[in-house]
PDB file of all heavy atoms in Angstrom:
ATOM      1  N   LEU A  63     -88.867 -18.661  46.903  1.00 96.00           N
ATOM      2  CA  LEU A  63     -90.076 -18.754  46.104  1.00 96.00           C
ATOM      3  C   LEU A  63     -90.068 -20.006  45.188  1.00 96.00           C
ATOM      4  O   LEU A  63     -89.049 -20.426  44.821  1.00 96.00           O
ATOM      5  CB  LEU A  63     -90.152 -17.590  45.139  1.00 96.00           C
ATOM      6  CG  LEU A  63     -90.221 -16.188  45.874  1.00 96.00           C
ATOM      7  CD1 LEU A  63     -90.064 -15.089  44.789  1.00 96.00           C
ATOM      8  CD2 LEU A  63     -91.513 -16.031  46.603  1.00 96.00           C
ATOM      9  N   ARG A  64     -91.235 -20.681  45.048  1.00 93.00           N
ATOM     10  CA  ARG A  64     -91.267 -21.835  44.276  1.00 93.00           C
ATOM     11  C   ARG A  64     -92.454 -21.740  43.333  1.00 93.00           C
ATOM     12  O   ARG A  64     -93.512 -21.214  43.542  1.00 93.00           O
ATOM     13  CB  ARG A  64     -91.519 -23.061  45.191  1.00 93.00           C
ATOM     14  CG  ARG A  64     -91.351 -24.370  44.578  1.00 93.00           C
ATOM     15  CD  ARG A  64     -91.432 -25.551  45.567  1.00 93.00           C
ATOM     16  NE  ARG A  64     -92.839 -25.644  46.066  1.00 93.00           N
ATOM     17  CZ  ARG A  64     -93.123 -25.613  47.380  1.00 93.00           C
ATOM     18  NH1 ARG A  64     -92.249 -25.257  48.306  1.00 93.00           N
ATOM     19  NH2 ARG A  64     -94.426 -25.741  47.737  1.00 93.00           N
ATOM     20  N   ASP A  65     -92.097 -22.306  42.131  1.00 93.00           N
ATOM     21  CA  ASP A  65     -93.217 -22.277  41.078  1.00 93.00           C
ATOM     22  C   ASP A  65     -93.058 -23.627  40.295  1.00 93.00           C
ATOM     23  O   ASP A  65     -92.270 -24.487  40.745  1.00 93.00           O
ATOM     24  CB  ASP A  65     -93.099 -21.077  40.093  1.00 93.00           C
ATOM     25  CG  ASP A  65     -91.717 -20.987  39.479  1.00 93.00           C
ATOM     26  OD1 ASP A  65     -90.977 -21.861  39.351  1.00 93.00           O
ATOM     27  OD2 ASP A  65     -91.549 -19.755  39.002  1.00 93.00           O
ATOM     28  N   GLY A  66     -93.705 -23.641  39.111  1.00 87.00           N
ATOM     29  CA  GLY A  66     -93.538 -25.007  38.298  1.00 87.00           C
ATOM     30  C   GLY A  66     -92.236 -25.273  37.809  1.00 87.00           C
ATOM     31  O   GLY A  66     -91.913 -26.394  37.426  1.00 87.00           O
ATOM     32  N   VAL A  67     -91.304 -24.211  37.761  1.00 88.00           N
ATOM     33  CA  VAL A  67     -89.934 -24.400  37.240  1.00 88.00           C
ATOM     34  C   VAL A  67     -88.970 -24.853  38.302  1.00 88.00           C
ATOM     35  O   VAL A  67     -88.073 -25.571  38.092  1.00 88.00           O
ATOM     36  CB  VAL A  67     -89.526 -23.004  36.608  1.00 88.00           C
ATOM     37  CG1 VAL A  67     -88.108 -23.187  36.133  1.00 88.00           C
ATOM     38  CG2 VAL A  67     -90.438 -22.586  35.484  1.00 88.00           C
ATOM     39  N   GLY A  68     -89.156 -24.376  39.474  1.00 88.00           N
ATOM     40  CA  GLY A  68     -88.225 -24.825  40.619  1.00 88.00           C
ATOM     41  C   GLY A  68     -88.439 -23.872  41.850  1.00 88.00           C
ATOM     42  O   GLY A  68     -89.407 -23.109  41.819  1.00 88.00           O
ATOM     43  N   GLY A  69     -87.571 -24.084  42.785  1.00 89.00           N
ATOM     44  CA  GLY A  69     -87.558 -23.276  44.051  1.00 89.00           C
ATOM     45  C   GLY A  69     -86.176 -22.714  44.309  1.00 89.00           C
ATOM     46  O   GLY A  69     -85.230 -22.853  43.622  1.00 89.00           O
ATOM     47  N   PHE A  70     -86.162 -22.174  45.471  1.00 90.00           N
ATOM     48  CA  PHE A  70     -84.927 -21.573  46.136  1.00 90.00           C
ATOM     49  C   PHE A  70     -83.813 -22.565  46.218  1.00 90.00           C
ATOM     50  O   PHE A  70     -82.673 -22.447  45.854  1.00 90.00           O
ATOM     51  CB  PHE A  70     -85.186 -20.770  47.327  1.00 90.00           C
ATOM     52  CG  PHE A  70     -83.984 -19.892  47.796  1.00 90.00           C
ATOM     53  CD1 PHE A  70     -83.542 -18.931  46.934  1.00 90.00           C
ATOM     54  CD2 PHE A  70     -83.461 -20.054  49.004  1.00 90.00           C
ATOM     55  CE1 PHE A  70     -82.470 -18.107  47.363  1.00 90.00           C
ATOM     56  CE2 PHE A  70     -82.407 -19.172  49.525  1.00 90.00           C
ATOM     57  CZ  PHE A  70     -81.928 -18.296  48.657  1.00 90.00           C
ATOM     58  N   GLY A  71     -84.133 -23.678  46.918  1.00 86.00           N
ATOM     59  CA  GLY A  71     -83.175 -24.821  47.035  1.00 86.00           C
ATOM     60  C   GLY A  71     -83.072 -25.648  45.849  1.00 86.00           C
ATOM     61  O   GLY A  71     -84.135 -26.034  45.241  1.00 86.00           O
ATOM     62  N   VAL A  72     -81.865 -25.888  45.402  1.00 83.00           N
ATOM     63  CA  VAL A  72     -81.607 -26.571  44.179  1.00 83.00           C
ATOM     64  C   VAL A  72     -81.036 -27.873  44.497  1.00 83.00           C
ATOM     65  O   VAL A  72     -80.192 -28.019  45.309  1.00 83.00           O
ATOM     66  CB  VAL A  72     -80.538 -25.785  43.289  1.00 83.00           C
ATOM     67  CG1 VAL A  72     -80.236 -26.599  42.013  1.00 83.00           C
ATOM     68  CG2 VAL A  72     -81.076 -24.460  42.839  1.00 83.00           C
ATOM     69  N   GLY A  73     -81.554 -28.943  43.830  1.00 72.00           N
ATOM     70  CA  GLY A  73     -81.196 -30.252  44.077  1.00 72.00           C
ATOM     71  C   GLY A  73     -82.142 -30.981  45.060  1.00 72.00           C
ATOM     72  O   GLY A  73     -83.035 -30.411  45.674  1.00 72.00           O
ATOM     73  N   ARG A  74     -82.113 -32.271  45.001  1.00 64.00           N
ATOM     74  CA  ARG A  74     -82.995 -33.099  45.873  1.00 64.00           C
ATOM     75  C   ARG A  74     -82.355 -33.394  47.216  1.00 64.00           C
ATOM     76  O   ARG A  74     -81.165 -33.571  47.236  1.00 64.00           O
ATOM     77  CB  ARG A  74     -83.289 -34.397  45.161  1.00 64.00           C
ATOM     78  CG  ARG A  74     -83.897 -34.082  43.799  1.00 64.00           C
ATOM     79  CD  ARG A  74     -84.552 -35.246  43.157  1.00 64.00           C
ATOM     80  NE  ARG A  74     -85.870 -35.063  43.657  1.00 64.00           N
ATOM     81  CZ  ARG A  74     -86.847 -35.983  43.619  1.00 64.00           C
ATOM     82  NH1 ARG A  74     -86.465 -37.211  43.219  1.00 64.00           N
ATOM     83  NH2 ARG A  74     -88.069 -35.763  44.054  1.00 64.00           N
ATOM     84  N   PRO A  75     -83.137 -33.411  48.239  1.00 59.00           N
ATOM     85  CA  PRO A  75     -82.585 -33.841  49.592  1.00 59.00           C
ATOM     86  C   PRO A  75     -82.179 -35.285  49.437  1.00 59.00           C
ATOM     87  O   PRO A  75     -82.571 -35.944  48.522  1.00 59.00           O
ATOM     88  CB  PRO A  75     -83.745 -33.713  50.418  1.00 59.00           C
ATOM     89  CG  PRO A  75     -84.918 -33.348  49.575  1.00 59.00           C
ATOM     90  CD  PRO A  75     -84.497 -33.056  48.223  1.00 59.00           C
ATOM     91  N   LEU A  76     -81.485 -35.763  50.461  1.00 59.00           N
ATOM     92  CA  LEU A  76     -80.954 -37.125  50.468  1.00 59.00           C
ATOM     93  C   LEU A  76     -81.995 -38.237  50.737  1.00 59.00           C
ATOM     94  O   LEU A  76     -81.743 -39.321  50.383  1.00 59.00           O
ATOM     95  CB  LEU A  76     -79.894 -37.267  51.554  1.00 59.00           C
ATOM     96  CG  LEU A  76     -78.638 -36.277  51.296  1.00 59.00           C
ATOM     97  CD1 LEU A  76     -77.668 -36.495  52.461  1.00 59.00           C
ATOM     98  CD2 LEU A  76     -77.959 -36.618  50.058  1.00 59.00           C
ATOM     99  N   TRP A  77     -83.116 -37.823  51.235  1.00 57.00           N
ATOM    100  CA  TRP A  77     -84.168 -38.834  51.558  1.00 57.00           C
ATOM    101  C   TRP A  77     -84.792 -39.177  50.229  1.00 57.00           C
ATOM    102  O   TRP A  77     -84.824 -38.515  49.336  1.00 57.00           O
ATOM    103  CB  TRP A  77     -85.204 -38.319  52.478  1.00 57.00           C
ATOM    104  CG  TRP A  77     -85.693 -36.996  52.245  1.00 57.00           C
ATOM    105  CD1 TRP A  77     -86.690 -36.682  51.398  1.00 57.00           C
ATOM    106  CD2 TRP A  77     -85.360 -35.828  52.973  1.00 57.00           C
ATOM    107  NE1 TRP A  77     -86.888 -35.273  51.432  1.00 57.00           N
ATOM    108  CE2 TRP A  77     -86.083 -34.797  52.371  1.00 57.00           C
ATOM    109  CE3 TRP A  77     -84.496 -35.507  54.023  1.00 57.00           C
ATOM    110  CZ2 TRP A  77     -85.861 -33.413  52.812  1.00 57.00           C
ATOM    111  CZ3 TRP A  77     -84.326 -34.172  54.361  1.00 57.00           C
ATOM    112  CH2 TRP A  77     -85.069 -33.152  53.718  1.00 57.00           C
ATOM    113  N   PRO A  78     -85.359 -40.467  50.162  1.00 56.00           N
ATOM    114  CA  PRO A  78     -85.970 -40.922  48.937  1.00 56.00           C
ATOM    115  C   PRO A  78     -87.192 -40.150  48.561  1.00 56.00           C
ATOM    116  O   PRO A  78     -88.032 -39.737  49.458  1.00 56.00           O
ATOM    117  CB  PRO A  78     -86.347 -42.393  49.240  1.00 56.00           C
ATOM    118  CG  PRO A  78     -86.061 -42.586  50.628  1.00 56.00           C
ATOM    119  CD  PRO A  78     -85.355 -41.448  51.195  1.00 56.00           C
ATOM    120  N   GLY A  79     -87.446 -39.958  47.227  1.00 61.00           N
ATOM    121  CA  GLY A  79     -88.629 -39.251  46.787  1.00 61.00           C
ATOM    122  C   GLY A  79     -89.931 -39.817  47.237  1.00 61.00           C
ATOM    123  O   GLY A  79     -90.938 -39.126  47.375  1.00 61.00           O
ATOM    124  N   TRP A  80     -90.012 -41.106  47.415  1.00 59.00           N
ATOM    125  CA  TRP A  80     -91.354 -41.724  47.813  1.00 59.00           C
ATOM    126  C   TRP A  80     -91.713 -41.352  49.155  1.00 59.00           C
ATOM    127  O   TRP A  80     -92.831 -41.387  49.565  1.00 59.00           O
ATOM    128  CB  TRP A  80     -91.334 -43.247  47.641  1.00 59.00           C
ATOM    129  CG  TRP A  80     -90.235 -43.855  48.345  1.00 59.00           C
ATOM    130  CD1 TRP A  80     -88.974 -44.241  47.774  1.00 59.00           C
ATOM    131  CD2 TRP A  80     -90.147 -44.260  49.754  1.00 59.00           C
ATOM    132  NE1 TRP A  80     -88.128 -44.793  48.836  1.00 59.00           N
ATOM    133  CE2 TRP A  80     -88.846 -44.742  50.003  1.00 59.00           C
ATOM    134  CE3 TRP A  80     -91.058 -44.172  50.766  1.00 59.00           C
ATOM    135  CZ2 TRP A  80     -88.524 -45.240  51.199  1.00 59.00           C
ATOM    136  CZ3 TRP A  80     -90.635 -44.675  51.954  1.00 59.00           C
ATOM    137  CH2 TRP A  80     -89.413 -45.140  52.238  1.00 59.00           C
ATOM    138  N   LEU A  81     -90.802 -40.828  49.962  1.00 66.00           N
ATOM    139  CA  LEU A  81     -91.061 -40.474  51.360  1.00 66.00           C
ATOM    140  C   LEU A  81     -91.610 -39.031  51.433  1.00 66.00           C
ATOM    141  O   LEU A  81     -92.366 -38.759  52.394  1.00 66.00           O
ATOM    142  CB  LEU A  81     -89.666 -40.457  52.114  1.00 66.00           C
ATOM    143  CG  LEU A  81     -89.689 -40.355  53.663  1.00 66.00           C
ATOM    144  CD1 LEU A  81     -90.552 -41.447  54.214  1.00 66.00           C
ATOM    145  CD2 LEU A  81     -88.286 -40.411  54.149  1.00 66.00           C
ATOM    146  N   TYR A  82     -91.428 -38.267  50.477  1.00 69.00           N
ATOM    147  CA  TYR A  82     -91.876 -36.865  50.370  1.00 69.00           C
ATOM    148  C   TYR A  82     -93.204 -36.700  49.739  1.00 69.00           C
ATOM    149  O   TYR A  82     -93.345 -37.208  48.538  1.00 69.00           O
ATOM    150  CB  TYR A  82     -90.783 -35.979  49.787  1.00 69.00           C
ATOM    151  CG  TYR A  82     -91.115 -34.492  49.826  1.00 69.00           C
ATOM    152  CD1 TYR A  82     -90.776 -33.771  50.859  1.00 69.00           C
ATOM    153  CD2 TYR A  82     -91.761 -33.875  48.737  1.00 69.00           C
ATOM    154  CE1 TYR A  82     -91.109 -32.401  50.887  1.00 69.00           C
ATOM    155  CE2 TYR A  82     -92.097 -32.592  48.781  1.00 69.00           C
ATOM    156  CZ  TYR A  82     -91.718 -31.763  49.836  1.00 69.00           C
ATOM    157  OH  TYR A  82     -92.047 -30.475  49.879  1.00 69.00           O
ATOM    158  N   ARG A  83     -94.174 -36.047  50.331  1.00 75.00           N
ATOM    159  CA  ARG A  83     -95.473 -35.852  49.680  1.00 75.00           C
ATOM    160  C   ARG A  83     -95.607 -34.390  49.329  1.00 75.00           C
ATOM    161  O   ARG A  83     -95.823 -33.492  50.214  1.00 75.00           O
ATOM    162  CB  ARG A  83     -96.628 -36.230  50.553  1.00 75.00           C
ATOM    163  CG  ARG A  83     -96.749 -37.694  50.683  1.00 75.00           C
ATOM    164  CD  ARG A  83     -98.034 -38.105  51.444  1.00 75.00           C
ATOM    165  NE  ARG A  83     -99.226 -37.526  50.774  1.00 75.00           N
ATOM    166  CZ  ARG A  83    -100.338 -37.158  51.435  1.00 75.00           C
ATOM    167  NH1 ARG A  83    -100.439 -37.415  52.707  1.00 75.00           N
ATOM    168  NH2 ARG A  83    -101.359 -36.637  50.805  1.00 75.00           N
ATOM    169  N   PRO A  84     -95.594 -33.992  48.013  1.00 80.00           N
ATOM    170  CA  PRO A  84     -95.790 -32.569  47.729  1.00 80.00           C
ATOM    171  C   PRO A  84     -97.184 -32.096  47.985  1.00 80.00           C
ATOM    172  O   PRO A  84     -98.205 -32.934  47.966  1.00 80.00           O
ATOM    173  CB  PRO A  84     -95.389 -32.431  46.199  1.00 80.00           C
ATOM    174  CG  PRO A  84     -95.644 -33.863  45.689  1.00 80.00           C
ATOM    175  CD  PRO A  84     -95.443 -34.807  46.866  1.00 80.00           C
TER     176      PRO A  84
END
Side-chain angles (χ1 to χ4, degrees):
L63 300 172
R64 189 173 72 242
D65 57 20
V67 176
F70 190 58
V72 176
R74 304 198 91 199
L76 298 177
W77 48 77
W80 55 266
L81 190 58
Y82 183 86
R83 286 188 57 208

